[in-house]
């Protein structure tokens, strides 16, 4: 795929751990080098959330434009027409795409970049892909995985293809991230049309674990002990931000010499978080999209299961696949229905 011509649009679909984000970085860096050699317009990479934007910003080497979709459209439209893009009446985060297109057509706006790369495309609205192909760049590369979409209103692969004018996708089929044990647990929640990936990594002979520490303080002790004895990068996924804040306070006291970070969207503090460094990063379900850690603790499991619809199954699938080596499902009390939604002890160890 790295040899695919840079002057042609590209659509890539792949499971967690298939290397989509790394390939996106390579693609945008090569496109930027070509644009620089030809003194052409700039290259940009657009993605779903601010934490993934932060990760892309840390991984890239060149000085490239890396933005979330909302930030990119806001700046691009404002630079063109000197005003903010139209949005829905009661939702400033939902663009009025028909009005956007009408205003840009009236102004006779045309593509102004040599290449646009989009990561986690399934979570971006269909209107954005029309915007990108009409007004941003004639050459677009999109990476997506419909099986990781977080809402029922996600954009399907067919919708992305049609809106952006793309050819059929190249499908990646190998999982380079998860151990076979973690992949098997994630597959329990897999409900997509594409087949599950082939796991490349060898077994570590350690099953994911279902644990019930008894309190948030005990959970903090569990995570801090793991951090002190095993080290590496640790992701703690929570449902509620107030749970994350309390956990952060507890872990900061227990790990005074370790990195303990929490991402809270309203604080826009993503640029202060060094998630590639050893330590603990606390995030919620939406913010953890695109990230990976040596060990992952999914807290407040009661909020995520039983999975009663495809969106909830996709969320569990996505969260489980954030873990490279070790995975813990942490709960306070599971209902009988929730407990029945989990796989048996051959896949998930009960601690």
């Amino acid at each position: 795929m790295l040899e695919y011509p840079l002057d042609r649009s590209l659509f890539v679909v792949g499971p967690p751990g298939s290397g989509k984000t790394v390939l996106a970085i390579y693609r945008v860096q090569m496109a930027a080098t070509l644009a620089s050699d030809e003194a052409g317009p700039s290259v940009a990479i657009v993605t779903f959330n601010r934490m993934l934007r932060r990760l892309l910003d840390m991984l890239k080497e060149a000085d490239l434009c890396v933005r979330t979709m909302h930030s990119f459209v806001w700046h691009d439209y404002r630079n063109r027409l000197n005003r903010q893009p139209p949005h829905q009446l009661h939702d400033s985060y939902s663009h009025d795409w028909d009005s956007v297109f009408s205003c840009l057509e009236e102004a006779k706006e045309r593509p102004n970049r040599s290449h646009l790369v989009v990561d986690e495309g399934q979570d971006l609205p269909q209107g954005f892909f029309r915007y990108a192909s009409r007004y941003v760049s004639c050459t677009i590369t999109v990476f997506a995985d419909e099986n990781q979409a977080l809402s029922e209103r996600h954009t399907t692969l067919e919708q992305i293809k049609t809106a952006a004018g793309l050819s059929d996708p190249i499908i990646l089929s190998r999982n380079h991230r998860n151990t076979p044990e973690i992949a098997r647990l994630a597959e329990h929640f897999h409900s997509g049309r594409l087949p599950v990936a082939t796991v490349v990594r060898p077994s570590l002979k350690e099953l994911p674990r279902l644990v019930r520490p008894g309190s948030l303080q005990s959970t903090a002790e569990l995570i801090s002990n793991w951090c002190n004895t095993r080290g590496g990068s640790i992701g703690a996924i929570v449902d509620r931000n107030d749970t994350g804040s309390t956990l952060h306070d507890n872990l900061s006291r227990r790990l005074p010499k370790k990195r303990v970070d929490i991402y809270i969207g309203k604080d826009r503090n993503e640029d202060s978080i060094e998630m590639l460094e050893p330590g603990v990063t606390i995030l919620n379900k939406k913010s953890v999209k695109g990230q990976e850690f040596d060990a992952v603790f999914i807290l407040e499991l009661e909020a995520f299961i039983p999975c009663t619809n495809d969106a909830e199954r996709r969320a569990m699938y996505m969260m489980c696949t954030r873990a490279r080596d070790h995975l813990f499902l942490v709960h306070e009390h599971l209902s009988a229905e929730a407990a029945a939604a989990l796989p048996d002890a051959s896949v998930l160890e009960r601690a």
Side-chain angles (χ1 to χ4, degrees):
M1 201 211 77
L2 292 177
E3 292 77 26
Y4 196 88
L6 291 167
D7 60 351
R8 292 174 56 189
S9 292
L10 176 63
F11 191 14
V12 181
V13 172
S18 58
K20 295 188 299 299
T21 296
V22 173
L23 290 171
I25 291 292
Y26 282 138
R27 184 80 170 164
V28 77
Q29 288 176 334
M30 290 188 295
T33 299
L34 180 64
S36 176
D37 290 344
E38 297 178 354
S42 59
V43 176
I45 183 166
V46 173
T47 193
F48 168 63
N49 63 31
R50 293 201 295 269
M51 278 299 289
L52 184 51
R53 193 277 306 163
R54 166 63 171 162
L55 176 63
L56 292 169
D57 218 22
M58 294 174 70
L59 289 173
K60 70 179 178 59
E61 297 177 1
D63 184 19
L64 303 171
C65 174
V66 183
R67 294 189 185 276
T68 63
M69 185 214 72
H70 289 289
S71 175
F72 180 86
V73 173
W74 191 92
H75 283 88
D76 184 71
Y77 188 94
R78 191 173 186 276
N79 286 340
R80 294 170 185 268
L81 302 184
N82 199 31
R83 59 180 183 268
Q84 297 184 29
H87 56 77
Q88 299 295 335
L89 182 60
H90 300 295
D91 184 0
S92 61
Y93 280 93
S94 182
H95 294 95
D96 182 347
W97 293 109
D98 288 339
S99 295
V100 167
F101 300 144
S102 177
C103 292
L104 291 174
E105 282 297 316
E106 184 178 343
K108 302 186 184 305
E109 290 293 326
R110 292 295 178 263
N112 60 1
R113 293 180 182 270
S114 62
H115 205 118
L116 180 71
V117 176
V118 180
D119 196 18
E120 299 291 353
Q122 73 281 349
D123 286 308
L124 305 185
Q126 191 173 356
F128 170 73
F129 293 100
R130 294 172 57 202
Y131 181 95
S133 60
R134 289 186 186 185
Y135 305 108
V136 178
S137 178
C138 295
T139 309
I140 301 172
T141 297
V142 178
F143 295 85
D145 179 8
E146 195 173 351
N147 297 336
Q148 295 187 73
L150 288 182
S151 73
E152 293 290 359
R153 298 176 61 188
H154 68 282
T155 304
T156 67
L157 302 182
E158 189 62 35
Q159 288 170 335
I160 293 173
K161 175 184 169 182
T162 301
L166 301 171
S167 300
D168 289 340
I170 294 174
I171 300 177
L172 307 176
S173 60
R174 293 162 70 86
N175 176 355
H176 300 271
R177 177 189 299 151
N178 310 126
T179 63
E181 292 82 5
I182 291 172
R184 277 198 296 272
L185 175 59
E187 288 162 15
H188 177 77
F189 302 102
H190 183 274
S191 61
R193 293 176 297 168
L194 295 177
V196 296
T198 301
V199 178
V200 174
R201 295 188 56 199
S203 170
L204 293 183
K205 308 298 182 184
E206 185 171 335
L207 292 176
R209 280 188 269 173
L210 177 69
V211 297
R212 186 183 182 185
S215 67
L216 192 56
Q217 290 75 20
S218 297
T219 300
E221 182 178 6
L222 173 66
I223 295 173
S224 62
N225 288 343
W226 185 273
C227 186
N228 282 323
T229 57
R230 298 290 192 101
S233 61
I234 299 169
I237 306 173
V238 299
D239 176 53
R240 298 174 299 167
N241 285 335
D242 58 346
T243 299
S245 295
T246 303
L247 179 66
H248 180 261
D249 292 342
N250 271 274
L251 288 174
S252 296
R253 290 194 297 270
R254 294 172 184 273
L255 299 168
K257 297 183 179 180
K258 304 282 188 178
R259 181 185 68 83
V260 180
D261 289 324
I262 181 172
Y263 171 68
I264 298 177
K266 65 181 179 61
D267 293 342
R268 296 179 176 269
N269 66 320
E270 65 272 13
D271 287 336
S272 67
I273 299 178
E274 303 291 335
M275 76 282 287
L276 298 179
E277 299 297 324
V280 182
T281 307
I282 303 167
L283 314 99
N284 62 29
K285 177 180 70 176
K286 290 185 177 181
S287 302
V288 80
K289 171 68 74 73
Q291 310 296 325
E292 62 177 64
F293 304 92
D294 296 324
V296 167
F297 293 78
I298 301 177
L299 281 65
E300 301 183 288
L301 185 63
E302 301 89 336
F304 302 125
I305 61 169
C307 301
T308 58
N309 57 54
D310 283 344
E312 292 175 353
R313 281 186 284 274
R314 289 193 301 265
M316 274 300 296
Y317 174 70
M318 181 275 293
M319 289 189 290
C320 289
T321 55
R322 300 308 95 198
R324 284 190 286 264
D325 300 330
H326 309 282
L327 176 59
F328 298 87
L329 306 186
V330 184
H331 71 101
E332 293 298 321
H333 176 73
L334 289 180
S335 67
E337 184 182 9
L342 294 171
D344 63 32
S346 68
V347 175
L348 179 64
E349 176 185 331
R350 272 66 173 172

